[in-house]
């Protein structure tokens, strides 16, 4: 019996934080009570291996049955039977310490389930983990003096893009196909990484990344733009290595880098294992559980789930595939049982490793058309619902070729890209900016569909049939008890029942999609976010001014002040000149907000201090009456009533904001302009047009807020920030609760992508709507000989 054979044995498991690995750990602990486990786990960036096991493995709902059976004894049982060892199969020697080496030396069986399972892994990452990982583990086991039975989990798709029967034989024993040397492939992959990293740092590409960062973030400040440019460089390197993996795999006859590196990993293990006994277990496409630990159990989305949900949302109108072809999927619990059986049996006799394929295609085929019909029928009866509560009608696929579908989706992405570029040149904000955000969401949907076609299309078109002769031969030797407790016979699967009663309901449950009609009950997402923002637990609320609390900007303010004392003809000429400057001013603002402010504040050079202070008082009164957002003013007062500190951080001049807005805020951080030390022509002090300090824009605004919070003993993670522009990103990203107010296009897209609260505040109705931002004329002129004292 399987359980008896494994009782009292110590088993090493790699990859326990993954889908198959979690199922293996749960089944070992529940079904083989006398065994002990050693889990080799790579440390996370901020988490130890032990914490990863607690959080990512033992808290998974796969353990609900075992936890309920053991009750309060669960933690003690795990502590007694499970040892966690820090290590990484992607590095030579596995990065083990002395304690880890001792733990490995005590193991009787090693199950290697760790892998870079993504079909679009970068070439070098797939090589280090999938190709070299099994060999590294085997060599380390031998180096510590251990000789356990190594069960290495591979994949049926090491057979490549072949047609017909794929036998349970070594990869390169097949009569056709290339036979690449695995060591040369390793060297080439590492060179490709080094060459790609070097190319990414060449001046043309660095300039390209910087340009793309500015196109996305605008005048967000040098640190944020530099960080974005570096992330774009890293993304370019990763994408280039992903494409290198795809290209190399397809050139050699494999669908992707995963299958290609798994195949070479088998060959490397055969050549380097020495006397270590090895069994290769090759599953096909592993999907949700048929029965254990419960029907439909799944961890994360596998290959089919993203395609299914995208189809159910009406976003995948077509998908390639051969309707009469076989989709070879196998429930995870059957794979786990086959691994347990291999561990209990021990290694096969003979020089070569035993090879066991765990698949369904040859014994109980599920044809592609039948699967598509089942999915279509189920979602026709159980549709998902759109944002308006209406059922989504799923399309009928016509099984076009992969090239045709890719071409259609590539064309859709290109058209949307062009439309986004056009919208990006327009000064849209608020509700209008949502057009761009909606367009970006559509582009993401099209790009996601294209990615699925590129990644998984080859698997829908496969014509290989995976033999399971060894699997069925082993099955025939089991007694009734083991067949009942450790079933892995693929012939027992009723595909209609599994797809419609087990798999699809589980997929929908884990996808967190809308499955009920009509309007949503309870508070909306916006209402929930707003409640969090206005929680008494918040410490600080920081506000931008222009286009956040008032529908105005520095151009409006300057124009109002500059024209207040001009004659009619001069006012018209000023307005026309300002309109003509519009495009260049917009470009300057998008390039650097600080330079934009300095450009205008230079124009105040020579303006009398007393006159400008008088006019500025009138200006803000005018703005508050005619252009303020009443909802924004109420929001400031709400924060103050809740006991939050409120601070205004703006690039506007102190003479404009401090006298009128001081009662509304606890503190104000703003731009301050210097004065001339000598009187100008006997008219009294005048402004020199130069700022005393750097204007609070971009990262300076975020730093000012951070300094304020530090001085007041407040925590930014409990702070709220309100702003309207991508140039305010440093301030918004610095707080725990960012709010985009009437956002311009870039910020609208970023806020939607990151799930931030978006407020659309408008001016009070009935106020004046002047065509141009010019101040009302006044007869009070201090200097009749100088009609335009503000230049």
């Amino acid at each position: 019996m399987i359980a008896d054979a494994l009782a009292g044995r110590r088993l090493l498991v790699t990859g326990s934080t993954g889908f198959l690995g979690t199922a293996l750990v749960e089944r070992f602990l529940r079904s083989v009570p006398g065994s002990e486990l050693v889990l080799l786990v790579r440390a996370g960036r901020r988490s130890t291996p032990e914490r990863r096991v607690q959080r990512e493995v033992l808290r998974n709902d796969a353990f609900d049955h075992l936890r309920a059976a053991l009750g309060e004894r669960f933690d003690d049982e795990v502590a007694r039977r499970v040892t966690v060892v820090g290590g990484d199969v992607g590095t030579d020697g596995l990065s083990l310490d002395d304690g880890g080496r001792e733990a490995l030396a005590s193991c009787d069986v090693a199950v290697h389930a760790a892998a870079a399972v993504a079909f679009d892994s970068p070439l070098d990452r797939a090589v280090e983990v999938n190709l070299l990982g099994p060999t590294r583990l085997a060599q380390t086991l031998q180096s510590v003096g251990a000789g356990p039975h190594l069960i290495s989990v591979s994949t049926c798709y090491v057979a490549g893009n072949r047609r017909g029967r794929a036998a349970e034989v070594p990869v390169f024993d097949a009569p056709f196909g290339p036979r690449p040397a695995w060591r040369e492939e390793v060297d080439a992959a590492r060179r490709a990484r080094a060459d790609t990293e070097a190319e990414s740092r060449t001046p043309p590409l660095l300039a390209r990344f910087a340009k793309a960062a500015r196109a996305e973030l605008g005048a967000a400040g040098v640190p944020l733009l530099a960080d974005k440019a570096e992330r774009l460089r890293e993304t370019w390197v990763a994408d280039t290595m992903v494409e290198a993996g795809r290209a190399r795999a397809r050139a050699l006859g494999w669908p992707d880098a995963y299958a290609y590196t798994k195949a070479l990993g088998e060959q490397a293990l055969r050549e380097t294992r020495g006397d270590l006994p090895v069994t290769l277990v090759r599953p096909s496409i592993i999907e949700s559980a048929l029965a254990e630990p419960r029907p439909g159990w799944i961890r994360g989305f596998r290959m089919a789930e993203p395609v299914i949900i995208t189809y159910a949302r009406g976003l995948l109108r077509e998908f390639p595939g051969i309707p009469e072809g076989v989709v070879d999927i196998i429930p995870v619990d059957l794979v786990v049982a086959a691994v347990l059986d291999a561990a209990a049996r021990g290694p096969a006799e003979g020089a070569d490793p035993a090879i066991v394929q765990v698949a369904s295609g040859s014994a109980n085929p599920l044809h592609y058309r039948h699967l598509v019909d089942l999915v279509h029928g189920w979602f026709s009866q159980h549709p998902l619902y759109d944002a308006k509560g209406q059922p989504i009608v799923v399309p009928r696929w016509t099984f076009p070729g992969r090239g045709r579908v890719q071409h259609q989706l590539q064309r859709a992405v290109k058209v949307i890209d062009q439309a986004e570029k056009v919208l990006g040149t327009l000064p849209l904000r608020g509700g209008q900016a949502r057009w761009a955000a909606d367009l970006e969401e559509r582009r993401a949907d099209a790009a996601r569909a294209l990615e699925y076609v590129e990644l998984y299309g080859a698997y829908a078109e496969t014509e290989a049939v995976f033999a399971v002769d060894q699997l069925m031969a082993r099955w025939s030797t089991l007694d009734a008890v083991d067949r009942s407790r450790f079933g892995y016979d693929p012939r027992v699967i009723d595909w209609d029942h599994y797809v419609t009663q087990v798999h699809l309901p589980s997929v929908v449950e884990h996808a967190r999609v809308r499955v009920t009609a009509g309007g949503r009950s309870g508070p909306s997402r916006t209402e929930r976010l707003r409640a969090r923002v206005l929680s008494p637990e918040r410490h600080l609320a920081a506000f931008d001014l222009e286009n956040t609390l008032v529908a105005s900007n520095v151009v409006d303010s300057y124009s109002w002040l500059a024209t207040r004392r001009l004659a009619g003809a001069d006012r018209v000429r000023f307005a026309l000149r300002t309109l003509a400057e519009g495009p260049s001013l917009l470009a300057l603002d998008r390039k650097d907000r600080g330079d934009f402010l300095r450009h205008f504040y230079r124009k105040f050079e020579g303006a009398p201090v007393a006159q400008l202070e008088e006019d500025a008082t009138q200006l803000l009164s005018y703005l508050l009456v005619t252009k303020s957002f009443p909802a924004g003013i109420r929001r400031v007062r709400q924060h103050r009533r809740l006991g939050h500190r409120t601070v205004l951080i703006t690039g506007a001049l102190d003479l404009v904001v401090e006298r009128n807005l001081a009662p509304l805020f606890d503190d104000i951080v703003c731009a301050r302009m210097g004065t001339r030390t000598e009187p100008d022509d006997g008219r009294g002090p005048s402004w020199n047009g130069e700022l005393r300090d750097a204007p609070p824009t971009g990262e300076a605004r975020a730093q000012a807020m951070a300094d304020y919070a530090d001085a007041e003993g407040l925590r930014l993670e409990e702070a709220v920030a309100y702003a309207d522009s991508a140039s305010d990103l440093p301030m918004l990203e610095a707080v725990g609760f960012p709010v985009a107010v009437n956002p311009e296009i870039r910020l609208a897209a970023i806020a939607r992508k990151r799930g931030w609260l978006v407020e659309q505040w408008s001016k009070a109705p009935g106020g004046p709507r002047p065509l141009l931002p010019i101040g009302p004329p006044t007869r009070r002129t201090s200097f009749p000989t100088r009609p335009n004292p503000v230049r």
Side-chain angles (χ1 to χ4, degrees):
M1 294 177 64
I2 292 175
D4 291 340
L6 294 175
R9 308 190 77 180
R10 192 171 173 88
L11 300 103
L12 169 69
V13 178
T14 70
S16 61
T17 58
F19 176 40
L20 177 60
T22 297
L24 280 166
V25 171
E26 189 276 338
R27 197 69 181 279
F28 272 126
L29 291 176
R30 178 164 55 86
S31 300
V32 191
S35 64
E36 293 184 8
L37 295 176
V38 175
L39 307 183
L40 182 72
V41 179
R42 178 171 48 87
R45 289 184 178 179
R46 300 180 180 178
S47 183
T48 64
E50 291 79 8
R51 287 182 180 177
R52 287 194 66 196
V53 169
Q54 284 292 331
R55 185 178 66 250
E56 301 177 35
V57 181
L58 298 175
R59 292 181 187 175
N60 188 276
D61 60 355
F63 291 84
D64 288 352
H65 181 72
L66 181 60
R67 192 180 292 274
L70 294 176
E72 295 180 354
R73 295 185 294 113
F74 178 82
D75 291 338
D76 291 339
E77 182 76 1
V78 168
R80 181 178 65 83
R81 297 179 58 193
V82 176
T83 300
V84 179
V85 172
D88 183 1
V89 299
T91 61
D92 292 337
L94 308 186
S95 301
L96 293 173
D97 58 20
D98 291 340
R101 293 174 65 85
E102 290 179 6
L104 263 63
S106 67
C107 293
D108 305 297
V109 179
V111 179
H112 178 51
V117 297
F119 295 158
D120 59 346
S121 292
L123 172 60
D124 59 319
R125 173 65 178 166
V127 163
E128 295 295 339
V129 176
N130 297 340
L131 196 164
L132 293 175
T135 293
R136 288 191 178 112
L137 179 59
Q139 291 173 339
T140 302
L141 289 171
Q142 291 173 314
S143 71
V144 298
H149 174 203
L150 173 59
I151 301 170
S152 183
V153 180
S154 183
T155 174
C156 285
Y157 290 91
V158 296
N161 295 324
R162 67 178 68 247
R163 294 185 176 93
R165 188 173 186 272
E168 295 162 293
V169 297
V171 176
F172 298 133
D173 283 4
F176 308 105
R179 289 167 171 77
W182 64 269
R183 289 183 176 86
E184 294 179 5
E185 297 297 306
V186 171
D187 292 341
R190 290 171 173 172
R191 286 197 305 272
R193 164 63 72 169
D195 292 345
T196 303
E197 287 283 358
E199 185 181 358
S200 74
R201 291 172 167 83
T202 58
L205 280 179
L206 291 176
R208 172 177 147 190
F209 303 142
K211 182 179 179 181
R214 184 169 290 280
E216 181 174 342
L217 301 182
V222 172
L224 203 61
L225 289 172
D227 179 69
K228 180 63 179 180
E230 176 60 14
R231 283 187 280 126
L232 289 173
R233 187 196 67 80
E234 292 170 351
T235 300
W236 181 87
V237 170
D239 290 345
T240 302
M241 293 303 298
V242 167
E243 186 53 40
R246 289 178 183 170
R248 184 57 178 159
R250 291 169 183 171
L252 293 173
W254 281 282
D256 50 46
Y258 173 71
Y260 150 69
T261 52
K262 277 290 190 178
L264 293 179
E266 286 191 12
Q267 184 66 15
L269 181 60
R270 289 182 67 203
E271 293 181 12
T272 61
R273 69 186 179 93
D275 296 330
L276 194 71
V278 171
T279 297
L280 296 173
V281 175
R282 295 175 179 166
S284 56
I285 301 170
I286 306 177
E287 290 295 349
S288 63
L290 180 65
E292 300 281 352
R294 61 174 175 80
W297 177 80
I298 195 169
R299 174 172 183 166
F301 270 14
R302 318 316 306 161
M303 186 189 89
E305 288 72 44
V307 176
I308 289 172
I309 290 299
T310 304
Y311 168 77
R313 293 176 59 206
L315 302 175
L316 203 55
R317 312 303 298 180
E318 287 287 5
F319 201 78
I322 300 172
E324 63 271 24
V326 173
V327 180
D328 204 314
I329 61 178
I330 194 77
V332 64
D333 46 339
L334 272 66
V335 181
V336 168
V339 170
L340 284 167
D341 177 73
R345 289 177 186 272
E349 295 182 0
D352 284 329
I355 298 176
V356 181
Q357 294 185 161
V358 190
S360 61
S362 61
N364 183 15
L366 171 62
H367 293 286
Y368 187 46
R369 179 181 290 278
H370 185 47
L371 173 61
V372 170
D373 288 344
L374 289 174
V375 174
H376 178 272
W378 195 85
F379 280 111
S380 296
Q381 295 180 8
H382 309 88
L384 303 187
Y385 292 82
D386 61 21
K388 297 180 181 179
Q390 298 300 308
I392 299 172
V393 178
V394 290
R396 280 273 188 194
W397 285 350
T398 60
F399 307 104
R402 189 161 22 131
R404 176 183 165 191
V405 178
Q406 282 181 256
H407 177 71
Q408 291 173 344
L409 291 171
Q410 287 168 349
R411 184 171 57 188
V413 171
K414 185 176 181 180
V415 169
I416 296 174
D417 278 341
Q418 294 299 321
E420 281 187 314
K421 289 180 181 178
V422 172
L423 279 181
T425 63
L426 304 177
L428 305 178
R429 65 172 54 251
Q432 295 173 326
R434 279 184 287 184
W435 300 343
D438 291 340
L439 200 60
E440 182 173 338
E441 187 171 343
R442 292 193 177 189
R443 185 200 179 283
D445 289 337
R448 191 179 302 115
L450 176 60
E451 179 184 15
Y452 294 157
V453 170
E454 292 175 341
L455 286 179
Y456 308 133
Y459 289 86
E461 293 178 337
T462 186
E463 296 184 74
V465 179
F466 305 118
V468 289
D469 298 343
Q470 290 294 326
L471 183 77
M472 301 314 300
R474 292 180 174 219
W475 176 256
S476 67
T477 66
L478 296 184
D479 60 24
V481 174
D482 277 345
R483 289 189 178 192
S484 174
R485 296 180 61 189
F486 301 98
Y488 54 79
D489 182 357
R491 296 171 299 184
V492 304
I493 305 171
D494 178 340
W495 289 117
D496 289 17
H497 173 80
Y498 174 76
V499 172
T500 62
Q501 304 300 314
V502 177
H503 188 62
L504 291 179
S506 177
V507 169
V508 170
E509 177 187 355
H510 285 80
R512 298 179 181 177
V513 288
R514 190 170 184 180
V515 295
T516 56
R520 292 183 181 272
S521 59
S524 67
R525 179 177 175 278
T526 296
E527 289 170 337
R528 293 194 301 271
L529 289 173
R530 191 176 293 139
R532 295 177 64 194
V533 162
L534 292 172
S535 167
E537 297 175 358
R538 305 292 84 81
H539 292 176
L540 169 69
F543 290 83
D544 182 25
L545 175 63
E546 295 166 335
N547 290 314
T548 301
L549 296 176
V550 296
S552 177
N553 54 44
V554 68
V555 180
D556 291 345
S557 302
Y558 168 72
S559 299
W560 197 95
L561 292 169
T563 58
R564 180 165 171 74
R565 299 173 184 271
L566 291 181
D570 290 332
R571 292 161 63 83
V572 171
R573 281 192 292 271
F574 176 90
L576 293 175
R577 187 169 63 249
T578 302
L579 287 175
E581 285 186 281
S584 62
L585 294 176
L586 182 62
L588 180 61
D589 185 30
R590 288 178 171 177
K591 183 178 180 181
D592 190 291
R593 182 69 174 173
D595 289 346
F596 176 76
L597 294 177
R598 290 188 182 93
H599 171 81
F600 275 97
Y601 295 156
R602 292 283 191 272
K603 296 174 181 287
F604 288 106
E605 182 183 357
V609 171
Q611 175 184 303
L612 201 57
E613 287 179 344
E614 178 186 347
D615 288 349
T617 301
Q618 297 297 319
L619 163 65
L620 198 61
S621 297
Y622 163 76
L623 290 178
L624 288 175
V625 171
T626 64
K627 291 197 170 189
S628 67
F629 301 138
I633 304 302
R634 286 196 299 271
R635 180 62 57 83
V636 178
R637 291 170 175 161
Q638 281 179 290
H639 280 290
R640 296 198 74 175
R641 283 197 301 269
L642 289 166
H644 306 160
R645 297 283 295 190
T646 57
V647 58
L648 177 67
I649 305 179
T650 175
L653 289 171
D654 55 342
L655 61 97
V656 175
V657 297
E658 282 193 335
R659 294 187 179 185
N660 295 273
L661 292 179
L664 194 60
F665 295 93
D666 292 305
D667 289 285
I668 294 176
V669 178
C670 58
R672 301 180 184 277
M673 192 162 55
T675 58
R676 293 189 184 278
T677 56
E678 297 294 334
D680 184 6
D681 299 331
R683 295 178 297 144
S686 62
W687 300 102
N688 64 10
E690 298 177 3
L691 297 178
R692 297 178 185 175
D693 301 296
T697 62
E699 67 277 13
R701 183 170 295 190
Q703 187 61 54
M705 182 179 61
D707 292 343
Y708 180 84
D710 185 60
E712 298 293 331
L714 307 174
R715 293 186 296 143
L716 288 182
E717 58 266 30
E718 292 294 343
V720 186
Y722 295 82
D724 69 293
S725 170
S727 64
D728 300 310
L729 268 177
M731 181 174 78
L732 292 169
E733 291 185 334
V735 300
F737 301 89
V739 182
V741 179
N742 302 336
E744 45 81 37
I745 283 181
R746 292 189 183 96
L747 184 58
I750 292 169
R752 172 174 290 196
K753 188 181 299 182
R754 301 186 185 181
W756 293 351
L757 175 62
V758 176
E759 298 283 16
Q760 304 292 348
W761 293 339
S762 58
K763 295 181 291 186
R769 298 289 190 270
L771 182 62
L772 298 174
I774 55 179
T778 178
R779 295 179 181 179
R780 299 170 58 192
T781 303
S782 302
F783 307 100
T785 60
R786 191 175 181 182
N788 186 14
V790 179
R791 295 181 296 160

